[in-house]
């Protein structure tokens, strides 16, 4: 029963692809099975659209070892607003069907 399960997750925001000090710890902890999911609450890569979106490509490569193992849940921050959030919308697929911008989900007893 999902209501009797206590999920373990990491929640954070503001992680660029340069000087991403928490990234190696997140990668290691994910490989060790410490998290059930990740909640990244905006401000990716600084900024995903920079250098014709190559900065966004590099960022996605950096989080691949995490996102390939467990759900990597996201929401936009103010740094994703360029080009009407198009870099965020095209890179992340969240539940809800509103261009990945608004959604909710249940994990165990939490909503």
């Amino acid at each position: 029963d999902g209501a009797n399960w206590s999920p373990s997750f990491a929640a954070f925001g503001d992680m660029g692809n340069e000087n991403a000090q928490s990234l190696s710890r997140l990668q290691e902890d994910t490989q060790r099975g410490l998290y059930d999911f990740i909640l990244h609450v905006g401000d990716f890569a600084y900024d995903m659209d920079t250098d014709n979106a190559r900065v966004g490509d590099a960022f996605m490569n950096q989080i691949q070892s995490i996102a390939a193992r467990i759900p990597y849940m996201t929401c936009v921050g103010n740094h994703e607003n360029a080009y009407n959030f198009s870099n965020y919308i095209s890179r992340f697929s969240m539940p809800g069907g509103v261009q990945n911008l608004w959604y909710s989900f249940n994990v165990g007893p939490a909503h």
Side-chain angles (χ1 to χ4, degrees), residues 11-55:
F12 58 90
D14 298 287
M15 185 167 71
N17 73 328
E18 289 186 25
N19 198 25
Q21 295 182 12
S22 58
L23 182 61
S24 62
R25 174 75 183 262
L26 290 166
Q27 290 168 329
E28 291 169 15
D29 288 353
T30 298
Q31 289 179 0
R32 291 175 48 210
L34 298 182
Y35 306 127
D36 296 303
F37 69 97
I38 297 293
L39 180 59
H40 189 156
V41 294
D43 295 346
F44 307 89
Y46 293 113
D47 290 323
M48 293 184 104
D49 64 297
T50 300
D51 193 19
N52 199 27
R54 287 181 184 94
V55 169

